[in-house]
Amino acid sequence: MRFTTNDLPGEVPMVVARDIRKRFGAIEVLKGVSLAIGKGDVVAVIGPSGSGKSTFLRCLNHLEAVHAGEVVIEGETLVSTDAAGVCRYAPEAELRRICRKMGMVFQQFNLFPHLTVLQNIIEAPITVKGLSRAAIIPVAEELLRKVGLLDKRDSYPARLSGGQKQRVAIARALAMEPDIMLFDEPTSALDPELTGEVLRSMRQLADERMTMLVVTHEMAFAREVSTRVVFMDEGEIVEARPPGEMFTSPEHPRTRAFLEHML
Amino acid sequence: MNYLIEILGPLLEGTAVTLQVFLLTLLLSVPFGLGLALLRVSHFRLASGLVNGYIWLMRGTPLMLQMLFIYFALPFVPLIGVRLPDFPAAIVAFVLNYAAYFAEIFRAGIQSIERGQYEAARVLGLSYGQTMRRIVLPQVVKRILPPMSNETITLVKDTSLIYVLAMNDLLRAARGIVQRDFTTMPFVVAAAFYLLMTLLLTWGFSYLEKRHAVYDE
């Protein structure tokens, strides 16, 4: 296993994953993945389908339970594994509180179809944080303005294009004021001409120094926006380097083969 | 015409009984059925299994048998031996039975909601209860309206089973007059009453469906 955890002196990393292992039945999809993400890092995770990159992302916020390893979010332990190999998660309430530091955007958007765009965004701040409508609506409207969809405020998701849906999903996640944003192939379900608008919103977020982990097939985005590119294959991190180096002089033959295929 | 007015009195009295059974059953079995469905889809294996058995029992035996059992046999069952008058006995049987059917409709509705909805709610910090109340169940309502309409119409007609407890519902009232006067006219009137109730229900449900059609999926 290649050790990829960065040393970040004097600063608690936003995300630390150590030796994450995950099986689906007999198939080991993550074979000990380690990664540390510092504040303001934009990490692009690339790799062939089935390489475990989405699963890795989903292990960070407990959408998937790991079989072994450790996840620490801003210094708080989500899950740890003791010397005997017993894997222990934080208690449910604690778990939810820690996971709330991470917003997530899904490939399939997963907007709530029975709620309007605005209602989608204010639902969690009201229900989970107990904010009043009066307090959150201006925030939601500002977020909608930011992603360029204020005019869709009262539309239902079914009336939106894929790119618009994904931008609403980004606004919805941001309304909970996360410290970290996880993107799980945010443009993979979109028509090619609609990916640009979503990537623009993500780039804007990166410019604001949001800590981001992005599983993506968008090599241009990885190259131009990310601060580090992680190449995963067959359940392991093969190589993790700044985009400049990764795309010009990849070290590992597997990385080279993948990039040649993608570019 | 005079004859029609004459028999209308007892038939309307019968309709009142029918409506009482119908409304009380609906009012009580829907929340009970929802509770059953939530237990059925929960991760509590034991509760889920018990509900499964309950649904099997209630759907696997005739409603009439259940009614007769509660009225005639329940008083002799050790520990819970209570003697219920006819009307409460009928209501208890109907609620127990219909809750099982409603539970299955609700379960199908709940399980038809995509996993992504739960995941989106979870990453936003909603608890399981909040996810059910705010995200899942509101969408379930829309999806189950057609089968609910079906089941509710069946209930209107099933109420006629209470005749076995010698209660004077619409059908029994009609039959009494038929046997007394040797004319089938009361049956025709009773049929018209059932059709009218069904029509009102159909309208009610299509109104609800329209109201939920403000969003597509």
Side-chain angles (χ1 to χ4, degrees):
Chain A
M1 188 203 69
R2 191 172 283 270
F3 195 65
T4 54
T5 305
N6 278 13
D7 287 321
L8 301 151
E11 201 176 342
V12 179
M14 301 299 275
V15 178
V16 176
R18 264 190 214 105
D19 202 19
I20 301 295
R21 287 167 195 277
K22 169 74 184 170
R23 287 187 307 270
F24 288 121
I27 304 159
E28 194 170 31
V29 286
L30 296 177
K31 300 169 184 166
V33 175
S34 299
L35 184 70
I37 304 173
K39 193 165 172 49
D41 274 358
V42 177
V43 178
V45 184
I46 60 172
S49 16
S51 59
K53 48 195 195 308
S54 284
T55 305
F56 172 61
L57 193 75
R58 292 163 59 83
C59 282
L60 296 180
N61 63 355
H62 192 235
L63 285 181
E64 304 285 354
V66 304
H67 284 102
E70 187 180 20
V71 176
V72 182
I73 307 298
E74 295 180 57
E76 295 191 275
T77 302
L78 191 74
V79 58
S80 58
T81 304
D82 62 21
V86 180
C87 188
R88 210 169 266 114
Y89 271 93
E92 174 66 19
E94 189 82 344
L95 206 65
R96 283 201 2 244
R97 188 182 56 75
I98 297 172
C99 287
R100 241 195 284 157
K101 296 173 189 288
M102 292 171 279
M104 185 166 185
V105 173
F106 299 87
Q107 183 177 354
Q108 297 297 336
F109 329 123
N110 294 343
L111 294 181
F112 305 129
H114 64 302
L115 302 179
T116 64
V117 165
L118 183 76
Q119 289 168 337
N120 261 279
I121 296 173
I122 66 177
E123 175 60 45
I126 292 174
T127 308
V128 178
K129 283 190 169 173
L131 296 181
S132 69
R133 286 178 64 87
I136 191 64
I137 285 179
V139 177
E141 286 176 338
E142 184 49 39
L143 286 168
L144 278 175
R145 201 187 332 271
K146 225 169 94 176
V147 297
L149 288 171
L150 189 56
D151 58 323
K152 300 290 179 191
R153 183 183 184 275
D154 298 313
S155 302
Y156 283 94
R159 297 258 169 264
L160 306 181
S161 72
Q164 291 172 332
K165 281 184 198 169
Q166 199 59 299
R167 286 185 284 155
V168 173
I170 292 171
R172 179 176 71 173
L174 292 176
M176 287 301 281
E177 302 183 301
D179 297 333
I180 303 149
M181 282 287 283
L182 308 176
F183 292 85
D184 187 8
E185 305 201 22
T187 56
S188 297
L190 299 177
D191 292 334
E193 74 269 24
L194 298 178
T195 57
E197 56 191 72
V198 173
L199 293 174
R200 237 185 333 272
S201 290
M202 291 169 62
R203 188 185 295 251
Q204 201 180 343
L205 211 52
D207 290 342
E208 292 167 13
R209 298 268 298 151
M210 172 63 83
T211 306
M212 295 163 67
L213 185 60
V214 186
V215 171
T216 187
H217 293 293
E218 296 288 336
M219 292 304 134
F221 179 83
R223 182 175 11 211
E224 290 158 26
V225 182
S226 74
T227 53
R228 193 152 40 118
V229 181
V230 171
F231 173 66
M232 277 185 78
D233 192 20
E234 291 178 4
E236 314 176 291
I237 292 182
V238 175
E239 187 161 1
R241 310 170 68 188
E245 299 171 23
M246 183 68 109
F247 287 100
T248 51
S249 52
E251 210 169 67
H252 202 282
R254 276 196 282 176
T255 318
R256 231 172 290 146
F258 175 76
L259 287 176
E260 270 165 27
H261 183 73
M262 288 302 288
L263 297 172
Chain B
M1 192 63 205
N2 277 343
Y3 179 69
L4 205 61
I5 292 165
E6 189 193 312
I7 64 170
L8 218 50
L11 288 181
L12 280 173
E13 274 169 41
T15 306
V17 175
T18 293
L19 281 176
Q20 279 174 38
V21 174
F22 169 77
L23 288 173
L24 269 173
T25 302
L26 199 60
L27 212 66
L28 298 173
S29 60
V30 167
F32 183 31
L34 179 59
L36 289 174
L38 288 172
L39 284 176
R40 177 83 169 71
V41 300
S42 75
H43 294 295
F44 304 112
R45 287 274 170 78
L46 182 66
S48 179
L50 285 174
V51 169
N52 234 355
Y54 174 84
I55 290 172
W56 173 63
L57 181 70
M58 285 297 150
R59 293 199 307 178
T61 54
L63 174 55
M64 193 190 287
L65 175 68
Q66 293 162 12
M67 212 160 21
L68 290 170
F69 183 87
I70 285 167
Y71 187 65
F72 290 112
L74 204 58
F76 304 107
V77 174
L79 297 174
I80 45 166
V82 281
R83 190 178 298 275
L84 290 173
D86 53 5
F87 187 78
I91 296 297
V92 168
F94 267 86
V95 170
L96 293 181
N97 180 280
Y98 266 80
Y101 283 95
F102 285 143
E104 283 296 275
I105 294 178
F106 298 153
R107 177 178 69 91
I110 292 170
Q111 290 179 340
S112 76
I113 303 296
E114 300 73 18
R115 204 175 64 158
Q117 294 286 304
Y118 291 91
E119 292 186 347
R122 185 174 170 88
V123 299
L124 287 168
L126 273 73
S127 67
Y128 181 75
Q130 288 169 336
T131 304
M132 277 292 163
R133 267 197 315 280
R134 308 281 310 168
I135 307 301
V136 176
L137 292 180
Q139 295 183 60
V140 166
V141 172
K142 178 182 166 118
R143 295 191 188 182
I144 65 170
L145 280 175
M148 281 300 281
S149 163
N150 224 0
E151 201 59 35
T152 312
I153 287 171
T154 305
L155 173 60
V156 174
K157 294 168 293 173
D158 268 0
T159 54
S160 62
L161 287 172
I162 60 173
Y163 83 90
V164 294
L165 300 188
M167 287 162 67
N168 272 316
D169 73 309
L170 174 55
L171 186 57
R172 190 160 184 266
R175 205 168 48 159
I177 305 170
V178 168
Q179 281 163 351
R180 187 192 66 198
D181 299 347
F182 296 105
T183 161
T184 50
M185 183 61 143
F187 280 152
V188 177
V189 179
F193 279 17
Y194 280 114
L195 281 170
L196 185 65
M197 287 187 268
T198 308
L199 188 65
L200 291 176
L201 275 175
T202 309
W203 282 344
F205 271 99
S206 55
Y207 168 75
L208 286 178
E209 281 184 39
K210 269 201 206 92
R211 247 189 43 179
H212 281 84
V214 292
Y215 72 89
D216 306 315
E217 295 179 61

